Amino acid sequence: MSLDWVATGEGPKELGQSQPVPDTEVAGMEDYAFVPLYDAQCSAGDGAWNENCRVLTHISFTRYSLRKQGLTPDHLSAIRIDGDSMEPVLHSGDTVLIDHTRTAIEGEGIYILRLDGHLYAKRLQRQFNGVSIISANKE
């Protein structure tokens, strides 16, 4: 998968070989969507380098649960958090979903930012004079 697609949802999705998406034609599986989990690390700290990330596995969700949250499976990916700057909200090792259709700041929330090839999980708060980047961990 393209790192640009993982981080921003833009550009080509596929680069080279990746694990196949599980077969949804198996009886009863049509109600489930499979979201790729990448080996890219998302830093909640000093930044994580993610060149040449690959699909580790796929995480299954019911299509109903995703639809209820306004999410489309084809526009989702998952990565793991590395670091403690967002504790107690996000802990190192937690898995987060990225919705690649949300590319603009739509109010306060936790966003995955890409800066100089590094991915960061931070709370963003829109203000009149710009955007505040907030770490949850007061230390």
Side-chain angles (χ1 to χ4, degrees), residues 18-133:
S18 65
Q19 290 184 359
V21 175
D23 186 5
T24 57
E25 298 301 318
V26 176
M29 296 303 288
E30 62 275 356
D31 293 335
Y32 293 89
F34 297 90
V35 175
L37 171 65
Y38 291 90
D39 67 350
Q41 294 291 310
C42 179
S43 178
D46 295 328
W49 186 252
N50 293 293
E51 199 165 311
N52 301 318
C53 64
R54 60 187 172 87
V55 176
L56 294 174
T57 191
H58 290 83
I59 304 170
S60 64
F61 295 89
T62 62
R63 291 184 183 280
Y64 172 79
S65 66
L66 294 175
R67 189 171 47 250
K68 190 172 178 181
Q69 297 295 318
L71 301 172
T72 304
D74 292 341
H75 298 121
L76 298 175
S77 64
I79 57 176
R80 292 200 175 106
I81 297 296
D82 183 33
D84 65 357
S85 75
M86 289 303 291
E87 287 185 1
V89 179
L90 296 172
H91 299 274
S92 192
D94 284 354
T95 300
V96 295
L97 279 178
I98 300 172
D99 180 357
H100 297 280
T101 63
R102 302 186 77 182
T103 58
I105 300 170
E106 300 171 6
E108 185 172 335
I110 297 175
Y111 292 82
I112 304 300
L113 308 173
R114 182 171 163 230
L115 179 61
D116 297 331
H118 298 286
L119 298 178
Y120 299 90
K122 297 294 177 186
R123 179 173 299 281
L124 299 184
Q125 185 178 66
R126 185 176 232 166
Q127 299 180 345
F128 290 111
N129 61 348
V131 175
S132 290
I133 301 173

